[in-house]
Amino acid sequence: MKASTMTLRLLRASLPAALLLAAAVPAAPAQGWTGSIRLNQVGFYPGAPKTAVVVGGRGGPAFHVTTPDLADTLFTGRLGAPQLSDYSSDTTRLADFSALHAPGSYVLLVPGLGYSHPFELRPRVHQEVARAALRAFYHNRASTPQPVAYAGAWARPAGHPDDTVRVHPSAASAQRPAGTVLSSPGGWYDAGDYNKYVVNSGITVATLLSLYEDFPEYAAGVDAGIPESGNAVPDVLDEALWNLRWMLTMQDSHDGGVYHKLTEAQFSAMAMPSEVRARRWLVQKSTAAALDFAAVMAQASRVLRRYEHALPGLADSTLTAATRAWAWARRNPAVLYDQNAVNERFDPDVGTGTYGDRNVSDEWSWAAAELYATTGQDTFATAVPLFPDSVAPVPSWSQVRTLGYYTLLRHRDRLGARAAAEVRAAERLVLARADSLVAGAKARAYRTPMGLRRDYVWGSSAVAANQGIALVQAYRLTGDPAYLRHALANLDYLLGRNATGYSFVTGHGGRTPQHPHHRPSAADGVEAPVPGWLAGGPNPGMQDRRDGCTGYPSTLPDQAYVDALCSFASNEVAINWNAPLVYLANALEALQSRIGRAK
Ligand SMILES: [Ca+2]
Ligand SMILES: [Ca+2]
Ligand SMILES: [Ca+2]
């Protein structure tokens, strides 16, 4: 039916202006597609809650769930009472069709308004989007060709061998003076650009490793269709290892310090990876990079211990790398990355992403918690304050404290009685976060935990996904499936039940980003963007408007999103945004049979 909408649009484009009005009012508007019905455009689990949000006062009061040709009606209900939306003068009404369980392909029809994107109702309904979100990392691998067998229509030559990168003057040391040539291949491109950043890699790899730690049997069954599929290691770990092995090259073997980033001096043009030949630099070591590195290497050591046969020695070498980075940080506890200061002192100036965290107290506690969980040594648990907050912060690249709480909780049995106080504190703080997320959702127009004004930051989609992870963790602690239902509500948000009407994942949904700020998608000559990427999402900061990226349809917190290539502030993709989508979508796949249960 999108085809008929498109036909109408084409007609309108070719008609004289005088006829436009007539053409714009089809004979039977009630039966046309409408963007005013907001729902998960991928679909629903049979036993789970099923909700759509109808924007505006038109149509109703009944609604119907029908086959996509509108011929058969499977379910009829009544729209809920009108509610003022959170940030605009729109009213919204809920359509709850949770009582429909029959698998099939459907649309939701509101008489007098129109019908929704088509969606599926079936078990494993998020399997493809969950897999695609993981495969997106494969597409962003540096230093390796992407053949058709694995990359499909998005096949491309290798880019950025990174076998001759230079030590930037900001990173010079006695053993490695400025200009020293080193090899640092592999890893993922961070986002829409082609640079590689340790700080952002930390939370990203940790989130993928956490999916494996929390759901090992499920994760072992995920076939990502990557070159390592079919080997002895689960694909989610293979993909994480692609970046982890690169991260290991970012540690200075002489002192254990970790370079903040591997980067071109300035962002390259919107060209394919293989066409960009700018010199690449290793830039200044930082405390945040060392601690994030220490945390994720300590976690990797635990995980890789089970694959000693397939990956001999790697569990030991990652733990050694972790403890050396920790020791460097103890000697250099507050070396922040300040790009302006770097550029004042050194050349060439660096203009790429900063990841310039001003507060590393949370990086300290995350690294301490991971090293404690892996080694059992009390010195790590007592090295720094682990619990300075009253509620666990929702994780982001610059706020990683809660990642350590998740680790303490998932290893509570192994840590035993001596960690009882730490485990209790972590549990209290994580549940406090989850309960605050649940409490907000009930009153919100879209009934999602996502939705406070402060949630709509740069990369708001990752806020929603990381909130979802917090709710999954709360379920794991309590067995209360209400937390899972709220986690699923945030996945519904990401896939279309939101104030923009977009599913924010490329290639998955009826209305998805077509022009993400992602160099390969822009330059590859393929019409569809690389699939499986999560767009940043609404961001009223709109920092790209200064660079001439106008065209935002709204400046409201939950609608400040534009599907435009120029919109790095709302439509870029990033590894640290996709990783929580990978976790959330796969965790809900793993737990789908529990979602609809009573406690
Ligand atoms: Ca594998
Ligand atoms: Ca921080
Ligand atoms: Ca393209």
Side-chain angles (χ1 to χ4, degrees):
M1 291 319 295
K2 274 161 59 198
S4 71
T5 315
M6 199 171 290
T7 308
L8 180 61
R9 213 178 291 140
L10 289 171
L11 269 174
R12 290 171 65 180
S14 60
L15 285 172
L19 292 177
L20 265 182
L21 191 61
V25 184
Q31 302 304 311
W33 174 81
T34 175
S36 296
I37 301 173
R38 308 285 168 74
L39 46 62
N40 181 327
Q41 297 165 21
V42 171
F44 302 85
Y45 297 118
K50 304 167 198 75
T51 305
V53 174
V54 178
V55 180
R58 284 182 57 207
F63 73 91
H64 311 285
V65 179
T66 77
T67 50
D69 61 4
L70 312 184
D72 297 317
T73 298
L74 279 290
F75 182 90
T76 294
R78 282 182 77 83
L79 297 175
Q83 174 177 356
L84 193 61
S85 64
D86 300 326
Y87 301 104
S88 76
S89 57
D90 290 338
T91 56
T92 58
R93 290 169 292 170
L94 281 187
D96 187 334
F97 54 105
S98 302
L100 177 62
H101 299 286
S105 297
Y106 304 118
V107 296
L108 192 145
L109 170 71
V110 176
L113 178 63
Y115 56 84
S116 70
H117 295 287
F119 59 88
E120 302 280 311
L121 198 169
R122 61 178 173 84
R124 296 181 290 281
V125 73
H126 296 115
Q127 188 175 34
E128 286 81 11
V129 69
R131 180 173 183 266
L134 178 59
R135 283 180 45 75
F137 287 88
Y138 170 75
H139 288 292
N140 249 33
R141 286 187 187 185
S143 321
T144 189
Q146 307 252 301
V148 173
Y150 306 112
W154 298 274
R156 59 170 174 81
H160 300 89
D162 284 342
D163 52 355
T164 51
V165 297
R166 285 171 174 75
V167 173
H168 189 263
S170 64
S173 58
Q175 295 93 343
R176 292 180 172 182
T180 302
V181 174
L182 295 165
S183 182
S184 187
W188 304 305
Y189 300 128
D190 182 66
D193 64 323
Y194 292 140
N195 304 298
K196 306 191 289 197
Y197 307 83
V198 168
V199 165
N200 207 37
S201 284
I203 184 172
T204 302
V205 173
T207 301
L208 297 181
L209 295 177
S210 297
L211 172 66
Y212 174 79
E213 285 201 287
D214 289 344
F215 305 98
E217 286 171 28
Y218 167 88
V222 173
D223 181 342
I226 56 178
E228 300 82 4
S229 295
N231 68 4
V233 177
D235 286 1
V236 64
L237 298 184
D238 284 317
E239 197 53 56
L241 281 168
W242 186 262
N243 206 63
L244 196 88
R245 291 184 190 277
W246 164 71
M247 291 178 77
L248 285 168
T249 72
M250 292 293 281
Q251 183 171 44
D252 184 344
S253 55
H254 299 95
D255 64 3
V258 179
Y259 301 108
H260 195 70
K261 59 178 173 176
L262 189 167
T263 185
E264 57 209 352
Q266 302 295 333
F267 285 123
S268 63
M270 287 280 168
M272 290 301 282
S274 53
E275 293 163 5
V276 176
R277 300 274 156 74
R279 178 166 287 184
R280 310 265 279 178
W281 299 94
L282 295 166
V283 179
Q284 192 202 296
K285 292 165 189 165
S286 73
T287 306
L291 291 171
D292 288 340
F293 177 101
V296 78
M297 290 300 165
Q299 182 182 21
S301 177
R302 288 196 303 270
V303 170
L304 299 174
R305 192 68 64 188
R306 303 181 208 183
Y307 294 94
E308 189 61 35
H309 187 70
L311 302 163
L314 198 53
D316 285 336
S317 55
T318 47
L319 184 55
T320 301
T323 54
R324 293 198 71 209
W326 172 267
W328 185 92
R330 296 286 276 183
R331 297 193 302 275
N332 301 273
V335 181
L336 303 179
Y337 184 73
D338 179 342
Q339 195 147 283
N340 291 332
V342 166
N343 290 340
E344 278 168 24
R345 289 186 60 198
F346 304 107
D347 293 313
D349 283 6
V350 178
T352 54
T354 57
Y355 292 106
D357 194 347
R358 307 298 300 168
N359 181 345
V360 294
S361 69
D362 52 298
E363 283 75 12
W364 274 109
S365 45
W366 179 33
E370 295 295 347
L371 281 159
Y372 178 53
T374 300
T375 66
Q377 293 173 19
D378 291 331
T379 49
F380 292 113
T382 55
V384 294
L386 294 180
F387 306 102
D389 312 296
S390 56
V391 180
V394 175
S396 68
W397 68 263
S398 62
Q399 176 46 269
V400 291
R401 197 184 318 276
T402 300
L403 301 179
Y405 301 167
Y406 296 161
T407 284
L408 292 172
L409 293 170
R410 67 172 62 100
H411 294 289
R412 62 196 305 164
D413 292 342
R414 200 161 57 76
L415 288 167
R418 47 208 277 276
E422 285 84 2
V423 166
R424 261 200 313 278
E427 182 169 50
R428 182 167 48 79
L429 296 184
V430 169
L431 290 179
R433 169 58 58 201
D435 288 339
S436 79
L437 290 168
V438 168
K442 288 175 188 157
R444 207 158 276 138
Y446 287 83
R447 298 299 194 277
T448 55
M450 177 67 184
L452 285 177
R453 191 171 287 266
R454 67 162 184 246
D455 294 340
Y456 296 103
V457 294
W458 199 327
S460 60
S461 293
V463 175
N466 275 302
Q467 290 175 344
I469 294 176
L471 291 158
V472 170
Q473 295 296 333
Y475 167 76
R476 287 166 50 79
L477 289 170
T478 63
D480 184 348
Y483 290 120
L484 284 184
R485 292 193 274 274
H486 285 91
L488 179 62
N490 265 16
L491 186 61
D492 290 340
Y493 165 92
L494 292 173
L495 297 175
R497 199 171 94 214
N498 61 59
T500 72
Y502 277 89
S503 164
F504 292 120
V505 183
T506 56
H508 292 266
R511 188 183 193 206
T512 59
Q514 300 300 306
H515 311 287
H517 185 87
H518 179 236
R519 279 167 173 74
S521 291
D524 61 7
V526 181
E527 187 172 357
V530 176
W533 282 109
L534 179 63
N539 170 18
M542 299 178 286
Q543 292 84 348
D544 42 30
R545 289 209 298 189
R546 289 192 301 261
D547 297 277
C549 193
T550 54
Y552 280 85
S554 168
T555 61
L556 295 171
D558 58 352
Q559 295 183 47
Y561 167 77
V562 59
D563 178 21
L565 175 62
C566 60
S567 188
F568 56 81
S570 81
N571 207 35
E572 190 164 354
V573 303
I575 57 172
N576 65 312
W577 303 342
N578 248 64
L581 173 65
V582 171
Y583 185 108
L584 180 61
N586 282 286
L588 290 170
E589 278 289 299
L591 296 168
Q592 59 185 289
S593 65
R594 320 281 180 85
I595 296 171
R597 286 190 189 169
K599 186 176 179 180

